[in-house]
Amino acid sequence: MNRHRPLRIAITVLAGCASTILVLPTRGADGVAPLPLDASSRTTAVIRTAAASGAASGPAGSQTAGAATLTLQSQSNWVTDGGTFSLQFTVPPGTPVGATDATITVFEKLSSRSGFDQALRVGPSYEIKNFGTLPLSGLTSTSTPGSGTPTFGFSFQVTSGDTPAAANAAVPTLDLTSCPSSGCSGVYPVTIAVTRPAGGTIAPLQTDLVYVESTRSLVPLGFSWVVPFAPGSSADQADRLAATLNRTPQVPFTLLAVPQEISRLAGSGRPEDTQAVTSLGALFGSTGDHILLPALFADANVSSLVDSGLSGELDHQLDTGDATLTSLLHAAPETNLWAVYGPIDRAGLAALQARGAGELVLPENDLQPVASSLTVTHPWLISPTDRASMALPRVTGTGHDLEAATSDTGFDLDVSSTTDPVLAAHRVLADLAQVWSDAPNQTNPPRALVYMPSPGVPLDPNFANALLGGLTGNPIVTPMSLASYFAQIPPGYGSQTPVSRLLIQDPRIPGLPAGAIRSARASIDAISSAMGAGSEHATTIGDLLLASEGAGLSAAQRDRDLRQVNASIASIARGVSLSGSRTITLTSATGTIPITVASTIPSLTKASVTVTSDKLAFPHTADRSCRSVARGITCPITLTNTTNTINLRVIARASGAFPLKVSVGPPSGSLVFTSASFTVRSTAFSGVAIGITGAALLFLIAWWGRSIVRSRRAIREVD
């Protein structure tokens, strides 16, 4: 019997109060696209499934490269004593059903979470029930809509001695009367192996049976799920995710929506996308415990902005993100609760706290490791390594530092262990059950886990369907929002005093092209002053700049986005020009110069005209808010028509031809829409020139008169 199963290579590091497990997922291609759940399956929320690539061969946990794969369609989320465990799966297309056999095997209860991980890596160890070789054609079969592939089902009753086996001998039974002294409740691996005589490998499917002996007087484990709704999803997938979330409003969760993605959906013009945004917004008007987290508009890295000297851009990201979510989802994001993907340093953390953050979810990798032999099920207090340099105040009213939870990395490993989204969801559910069974019914202190899926991986609605279906009414796992998590789970470990953790030293914070971003922001601010608050042009360009700051962009993508920002600014500038003759004639010392500005941008309503010349003086006029500049004057102009003229009073300091420089720009900032050089010809004398000329004539007359008198005197003397 082929017992290859998904392989994960794990490295466990113990230091301080938390164990960090690095898992490198390896698997072969499954050859089968994930199929949607049938209509009878429970539908609930959204999650990202981690993709993995590569291939491996090995023990029972691995898949063979290129092997066809069984696909889990649905299964029982848990069973109690006397209950029935059912699962449904599909085989690869083209499998000869009549000549193919299936073997279903149940293995002994896992004793710990490390044992759960080991079962995924190398396969479970000891069989407790093998249901024998069963003809595939003899299993319950239904048709999967739209796939042409039949779904096969298998069920068996589970008893532990208190409930008699089914009277019908045809119903298979799993007898757990010989379970260990710790009790029968727990996680039991289940494998399905399919063999076909024609040859070719079909990788087995390994899932888990969660058995709860009795649902009386149970204290469930808390589970807070931060659901990311982020870029990367196709429009159709995003629509399905939103609909899935909306179908189970009774299940608490915390939504981390990237505002840029919500804005994209709302503005696509597709009715399905509009409905997706409506569905998300409806969640926050329901009676469920749903929390909307604040988010940077374009999912930018907080520390990248702060460390690059772009704190102003952080404010723009937060303000735009908050306005987008509030407007489109009709719900105000929280101010105290935050979720950060990182990396983050002390400056970034201080910036968030200055903006209202008091309770956060942080990546485990951003904190210095601490040791614990058990799964950590509580939040931490975050302390800086140097309070003076960080200037990090304590949270108001608590007397403590920032309170933070770390996302449990084990769930990412569960998800990345398979390409089957439904199977991945049930592995997360089984993992939660295993954590509960490690310390069942613990109340002092209460326990809970937080899961914020890794960034950059598309969300899968089928995974969400299965996961929150398994959380609905679960007797040993209680879903909760982040607000409930921080309110109900005290910081600290066990009966010890609250535990503080430090951020890691010198995290690798990605840099940003600060100069280019500052220059673009200055131009956008200038355009905003010319178009007015809320201008669609200015808002669109501003959003483009924020998008260029996204954490997931490569240097080439960021450069492309910044070029697009600058091209948009240049396009607006090209819509403004100076019209009319470039030669102006002054026939008197004092005159008026007309400057005509043409605009093809309807939303551009205000501008300023700056004129400079060494040979002209520009007296201020009483009816304009003009201001002096070096060798000239700047005056506002209203652009209400296609062409708009402003008349500037001037005084010529000289006659002849000389240049006049004219530029047009927004009311504020240094951006210039257009500029030109005019020629001014002055044919009139100035008062000074007339005075000098008159004095010269008087001098000449006096000189001539004196010369005539001398000449006559000389003649008389000769005579």
Side-chain angles (χ1 to χ4, degrees), residues 325-594:
L325 295 177
T326 301
S327 171
L328 298 179
L329 298 184
H330 307 290
E334 295 290 316
T335 57
N336 185 54
L337 292 170
W338 289 72
V340 179
Y341 273 117
I344 192 167
D345 57 12
R346 293 181 294 168
L349 200 61
L352 284 181
Q353 191 177 36
R355 289 160 176 81
E359 297 164 340
L360 307 94
V361 178
L362 297 175
E364 174 66 33
N365 292 338
D366 282 348
L367 299 178
Q368 295 185 23
V370 292
S372 173
S373 59
L374 295 175
T375 299
V376 175
T377 54
H378 61 84
W380 307 92
L381 299 178
I382 303 301
S383 294
T385 54
D386 181 353
R387 182 174 297 279
S389 65
M390 187 175 183
L392 186 65
R394 293 180 177 273
V395 178
T396 303
T398 66
H400 297 307
D401 302 327
L402 281 167
E403 192 171 339
T406 54
S407 177
D408 190 288
T409 57
F411 298 127
D412 281 330
L413 307 180
D414 299 332
V415 171
S416 64
S417 66
T418 177
T419 56
D420 181 344
V422 177
L423 177 59
H426 281 284
R427 286 182 174 172
V428 170
L429 291 168
D431 201 351
L432 284 166
Q434 185 61 57
V435 175
W436 174 83
S437 66
D438 286 347
N441 299 324
Q442 179 174 312
T443 59
N444 187 24
R447 302 189 306 149
L449 292 175
V450 174
Y451 179 33
M452 182 171 68
S454 297
V457 182
L459 305 166
D460 194 301
N462 291 327
F463 183 89
N465 221 0
L467 180 62
L468 288 195
L471 290 173
T472 303
N474 196 306
I476 58 175
V477 179
T478 295
M480 58 175 54
S481 69
L482 265 185
S484 297
Y485 170 85
F486 283 109
Q488 298 175 22
I489 311 299
Y493 185 74
S495 60
Q496 300 176 17
T497 56
V499 174
S500 295
R501 292 185 66 180
L502 303 177
L503 291 174
I504 61 172
Q505 295 286 344
D506 302 320
R508 294 184 177 181
I509 305 298
L512 291 171
I517 292 174
R518 285 196 197 95
S519 175
R521 175 58 65 189
S523 296
I524 293 170
D525 289 344
I527 288 174
S528 296
S529 71
M531 293 184 170
S535 163
E536 184 177 351
H537 276 89
T539 299
T540 300
I541 301 174
D543 290 351
L544 284 174
L545 179 60
L546 296 178
S548 75
E549 300 163 5
L553 299 180
S554 65
Q557 290 171 325
R558 200 180 311 281
D559 182 64
R560 175 205 62 199
D561 287 354
L562 284 171
R563 286 199 304 271
Q564 186 177 358
V565 170
N566 291 327
S568 298
I569 294 170
S571 176
I572 291 176
R574 285 194 297 271
V576 179
S577 61
L578 288 163
S579 61
S581 174
R582 292 291 193 270
T583 301
I584 301 170
T585 301
L586 292 176
T587 58
S588 64
T590 301
T592 299
I593 294 178

